[in-house]
Amino acid sequence: MVMAMVRPPSRRLRSLTVVSLLLAVMTLVISPMPSSAAESDWWTPAARPAPDSQINVTGEPFKGTDAQGRVRGFVDAHDHIMSNEGFGGRLICGKPFSEQGVADALKDCPEHYPDGTLAIFDFITKGGDGKHDPNGWPTFKDWPAHDSLTHQQNYYAWIERAWRGGQRVLVNDLVTNGVICSVYFFKDRGCDEMTAIRLEAQKTYDMQAYIDKMYGGPGKGWFRIVTDSAQAREVIEQGKLAVVLGVETSEPFGCKQILDVAQCSQADIDRGLDELHKLGVRSMFLCHKFDNALCGVRFDSGALGTAINVGQFLSTGTYWKTETCRGPQHDNPIGNAVAPEAEKQLPAGEEVPTYASGAQCNTRGLTALGEYAVRGMMKRKMMLEIDHMSVKAAGQAFDILESESYPGIISSHSWMDLGWTERLYKLGGFIGQYMSGSEAFSAEAKRTDALREKYGVGYGYGTDMNGVGGWPGPRGGDTSNPVKYPFRSTDGGSVIDKQTTGERTWDFNTNGAAHYGMVPDWIEDIRIVGGQEVVDDLFAGAESYLRTWGNSEKHKSGVNLASGAAAWASTSEWWNPFVSFAPGRAVDGNKGTRWASEWNNNQWLQIDVGSANLVKRITLDWEAAYGKSYRIDLSTDGSNWQTAWSTTAGDGGLDTARFAGTPARYVRIQGLVRGTQWGYSLHEVGVYSD
């Protein structure tokens, strides 16, 4: 590396000049910010346990920022380091670290011995009879493997290899599922989801301390749990790995639903969010796999979908319900595949319903409690994971975030309808693609390249390791363009060879993404198959992710110029003598009131904000009677109007109209065509200058 080229002061001036020039060139090409000589070999632990896995990477991890002050590095936006602690503790076999060493960490579940006969979840997820050699360390004959979904893939030294290969952000999603835990045969603890989440968070901090000890004490290791974007930026500039805690669980805060009745309250949500924030959690999913009291889910397909639908019934007493989609976005098709083993769990006489092929959207969207949770996350400056939400719920979540210009939205592993991509980028969010094969991953990256260019954003990946998803298989040792070992890291400063743990050496060409240590090899395969441009976008991921996070932290709700303003309308409903539907009800700050017009098409609501202001954004919170076609007109004097925004495709709910800043004192919402047989009705109108 750079330090090896420095000559002692006694060398001749010409040699010093040559070395200086070489140093300057290498600094520009490889590492824009030079490292300190006082920190020589800082990336090597003073006391690594022995025996242990090898890292098989040489060279100094890059530090600092580029010439524009941007951090660099890859982002894994979706991983599950501690999922072995979830699901009752015996679904994922092995641990990411152990004080007793690698042989204790990388051993199989007890019921898998001697030949995997009782590896029930293994044959459910992989097929066959589940039989395998259970021995991990030191032989690793059958696991970890790209298609073995029940064995530990996140051993700390394998994560270390990914960090040495250029990764700088890792989102550790704390994960479990109470229903899977309850029906699985083997477990050594209870199934309460929040108890598992707390344990996984603590184990992540324990792993940080474990690594710190190797490097001489607290704060000295490369694995750094961060709780704000500034801290993350500092960690990355030091050349270390910023670890962000997230949550992906089916019933957060106990918010399940039974027979469509919520089992949690707003107070439960506040307590839960406060507790998670205190634990260090900064991003989370509100629903996952099962419909809950917060939102409906994006379906799984095929036999897996049927099995999960059975699980939903066992947990909630309801099956998924579908409807014809209202727009181009849709959930995954359920299909009507059978899952005999899962269906045996149903009570006698109970059957999974069949579904019409044309009805691909979940009827359940974001509930009132779900909206409360989204707004609660915004107040705490947390980032919302949109994946796994039904398109109905996702659309409503987008509406809320857009109404507040809140950028904290993440799609981390390809479970969002691709039709939302630009809407997410426009808000300022971040996208990571599931860790698929290099050909498919590169093709999808190129499909959305123009949008990333338009919005100036980087790209991420979601490995979902320990997440029971499956990972890239090998392209084959006889492929015409294999990964050639050793190869250089993307920044050019490290050399990466085949990874060895115990007696086993993994080659990406013949083994694929068997464990987390193969992430750098997978990225090299992407470079070979997809080109350097795809890798460059991934290498810009760290800066883009931190920008989304940082802008969420800095977000401030805009001042509503319409609050309490004078308002009048073309007409107002008057049929109920006990309830007022007067124009002022749309600007009184109370979502329980509303303005409602008579039942005719051409109706308007006009608001006087008191003085001329620059107006850039208007929010409309429609009651059931909404405008399908309407426009927003602005005026400084109440006589001369100009149209700032219009639509012919209104769908009700919460609309946000954005347009170039325009001076205005008066705002008019002009209804043209009704969306229902009723008139137009608005709970609240917001007028903003931001």
Side-chain angles (χ1 to χ4, degrees):
M1 230 338 240
V2 174
M3 301 307 302
M5 297 185 64
V6 177
R7 300 177 185 269
S10 58
R11 299 291 185 183
R12 290 179 299 173
L13 179 62
R14 188 173 70 176
S15 296
L16 285 171
T17 302
V18 171
V19 170
S20 298
L21 288 171
L22 287 172
L23 282 170
V25 171
M26 291 187 72
T27 296
L28 288 172
V29 173
I30 297 175
S31 182
M33 295 293 289
S35 58
S36 169
E39 297 178 333
S40 178
D41 209 30
W42 59 270
W43 57 94
T44 302
R48 188 187 298 278
D52 204 356
S53 172
Q54 297 179 36
I55 308 303
N56 306 105
V57 179
T58 58
E60 179 177 3
F62 60 88
K63 288 182 169 186
T65 59
D66 65 12
Q68 288 74 43
R70 300 171 299 196
V71 298
R72 298 155 297 147
F74 304 118
V75 174
D76 181 354
H78 193 104
D79 187 30
H80 300 294
I81 299 176
M82 296 296 168
S83 65
N84 59 291
E85 303 292 351
F87 310 99
R90 299 267 279 275
L91 200 72
I92 304 296
C93 304
K95 311 170 190 173
F97 77 101
S98 171
E99 294 288 351
Q100 284 71 53
V102 64
D104 181 64
L106 297 179
K107 66 181 181 182
D108 216 335
C109 290
E111 58 273 9
H112 288 199
Y113 292 89
D115 62 357
T117 298
L118 293 180
I120 296 171
F121 194 63
D122 202 59
F123 68 69
I124 288 174
T125 56
K126 188 177 179 178
D129 57 10
K131 291 186 178 182
H132 63 277
D133 182 346
N135 292 315
W137 177 272
T139 56
F140 299 105
K141 179 182 177 182
D142 287 337
W143 65 271
H146 72 90
D147 57 352
S148 175
L149 311 188
T150 64
H151 294 98
Q152 181 61 240
Q153 296 175 293
N154 279 314
Y155 186 60
Y156 90 92
W158 298 337
I159 296 175
E160 182 177 352
R161 175 179 164 91
W163 159 62
R164 292 284 299 276
Q167 186 169 305
R168 290 298 178 266
V169 176
L170 188 159
V171 179
N172 178 30
D173 282 319
L174 315 175
V175 64
T176 191
N177 183 291
V179 175
I180 292 176
C181 172
S182 67
V183 301
Y184 190 53
F185 301 95
F186 305 105
K187 46 183 163 287
D188 53 22
R189 63 198 66 174
C191 296
D192 179 71
E193 292 194 354
M194 289 303 292
T195 299
I197 295 302
R198 295 182 192 107
L199 176 61
E200 291 182 38
Q202 182 57 55
K203 288 290 187 179
T204 309
Y205 284 100
D206 291 347
M207 181 163 147
Q208 177 178 255
Y210 177 80
I211 295 170
D212 279 353
K213 188 162 57 175
M214 295 182 205
Y215 286 80
K220 294 188 176 181
W222 52 269
F223 184 94
R224 312 300 330 146
I225 299 170
V226 295
T227 55
D228 62 58
S229 64
Q231 186 183 20
R233 194 173 290 277
E234 181 180 354
V235 162
I236 296 170
E237 289 175 357
Q238 292 170 357
K240 299 182 179 183
L241 178 68
V243 179
V244 184
L245 297 185
V247 166
E248 182 184 40
T249 192
S250 296
E251 297 165 359
F253 334 125
C255 280
K256 68 185 299 178
Q257 56 94 5
I258 298 178
L259 297 176
D260 293 320
V261 177
Q263 304 298 299
C264 66
S265 65
Q266 291 184 355
D268 293 321
I269 292 169
D270 282 328
R271 279 192 296 270
L273 286 173
D274 287 342
E275 179 184 6
L276 291 179
H277 195 275
K278 188 175 181 180
L279 287 174
V281 172
R282 295 297 180 266
S283 67
M284 71 175 294
F285 296 77
L286 291 183
C287 49
H288 178 239
K289 299 304 182 183
F290 302 153
D291 294 341
N292 61 25
L294 305 177
C295 52
V297 293
R298 186 168 167 82
F299 308 129
D300 280 81
S301 299
L304 177 61
T306 300
I308 292 174
N309 206 2
V310 168
Q312 162 146 326
F313 178 82
L314 296 175
S315 176
T316 70
T318 62
Y319 296 104
W320 290 329
K321 298 182 181 71
T322 65
E323 64 184 7
T324 302
C325 302
R326 300 179 182 180
Q329 287 77 28
H330 60 82
D331 294 319
N332 295 320
I334 299 175
N336 295 297
V338 296
E341 292 303 314
E343 291 176 83
K344 288 178 184 177
Q345 304 297 319
L346 291 171
E350 191 65 49
E351 293 183 356
V352 177
T354 57
Y355 295 93
S357 60
Q360 291 190 5
C361 280
N362 195 334
T363 60
R364 186 181 291 267
L366 197 67
T367 67
L369 284 173
E371 178 176 347
Y372 186 82
V374 170
R375 294 188 183 278
M377 290 180 66
M378 291 164 59
K379 289 177 182 176
R380 293 164 179 83
K381 311 302 182 185
M382 298 170 73
M383 293 177 284
L384 175 67
E385 289 269 11
I386 205 79
D387 287 3
H388 290 297
M389 277 186 172
S390 67
V391 294
K392 192 172 185 178
Q396 292 167 309
F398 271 113
D399 288 345
I400 293 169
L401 299 179
E402 288 166 345
S403 73
E404 297 283 350
S405 296
Y406 189 78
I409 184 169
I410 305 286
S411 172
S412 59
H413 66 327
S414 302
W415 265 82
M416 175 188 75
D417 187 288
L418 296 176
W420 298 126
T421 302
E422 182 161 18
R423 195 173 180 184
L424 185 146
Y425 281 147
K426 190 178 293 186
L427 258 176
F430 181 82
I431 291 178
Q433 186 190 155
Y434 190 85
M435 186 188 188
S436 56
S438 54
E439 298 99 330
F441 188 96
S442 299
E444 174 57 21
K446 290 176 180 179
R447 188 190 71 80
T448 55
D449 178 67
L451 283 176
R452 289 194 299 281
E453 180 72 21
K454 177 178 178 179
Y455 291 98
V457 296
Y459 205 38
Y461 49 82
T463 62
D464 202 20
M465 294 241 173
N466 285 4
V468 198
W471 298 274
R475 290 198 292 124
D478 57 352
T479 183
S480 61
N481 55 346
V483 172
K484 296 179 180 179
Y485 294 93
F487 59 87
R488 283 201 169 270
S489 58
T490 298
D491 65 290
S494 295
V495 176
I496 302 169
D497 210 339
K498 294 178 183 178
Q499 201 284 316
T500 297
T501 303
E503 299 171 8
R504 177 80 184 271
T505 296
W506 280 271
D507 182 327
F508 189 84
N509 300 301
T510 54
N511 301 125
H515 60 68
Y516 208 92
M518 305 305 289
V519 168
D521 312 56
W522 172 69
I523 291 173
E524 173 66 4
D525 202 46
I526 287 174
R527 185 192 67 79
I528 293 167
V529 171
Q532 186 63 42
E533 296 82 4
V534 178
V535 177
D536 288 345
D537 273 7
L538 290 171
F539 204 57
E543 176 64 35
S544 189
Y545 180 89
L546 294 190
R547 196 181 307 148
T548 292
W549 190 3
N551 288 340
S552 302
E553 293 168 325
K554 292 183 289 187
H555 176 265
K556 293 182 180 179
S557 295
V559 176
N560 183 3
L561 302 174
S563 181
W568 56 102
S570 54
T571 61
S572 296
E573 280 192 29
W574 54 269
W575 58 270
N576 190 332
F578 303 104
V579 179
S580 172
F581 299 110
R585 298 300 188 184
V587 291
D588 63 1
N590 182 354
K591 291 190 176 182
T593 64
R594 60 188 175 96
W595 162 72
S597 77
E598 292 181 351
W599 297 6
N600 296 306
N601 274 337
N602 293 302
Q603 304 290 323
W604 51 262
L605 173 71
Q606 189 168 311
I607 300 166
D608 178 1
V609 300
S611 61
N613 290 267
L614 193 68
V615 176
K616 292 184 177 180
R617 175 169 60 99
I618 290 177
T619 61
L620 305 174
D621 188 357
W622 294 99
E623 194 254 352
Y626 65 92
K628 181 177 181 181
S629 175
Y630 66 93
R631 68 174 189 259
I632 294 173
D633 299 330
L634 303 177
S635 174
T636 56
D637 58 10
S639 298
N640 299 294
W641 297 87
Q642 59 177 311
T643 297
W645 188 91
S646 65
T647 183
T648 59
D651 58 0
L654 182 58
D655 287 349
T656 298
R658 296 180 181 278
F659 41 83
T662 305
R665 173 175 172 174
Y666 301 95
V667 175
R668 183 172 65 200
I669 296 93
Q670 177 68 60
L672 302 173
V673 178
R674 294 168 291 161
T676 68
Q677 72 269 33
W678 304 297
Y680 303 89
S681 186
L682 286 161
H683 285 295
E684 283 294 309
V685 176
V687 178
Y688 301 92
S689 292
D690 63 331

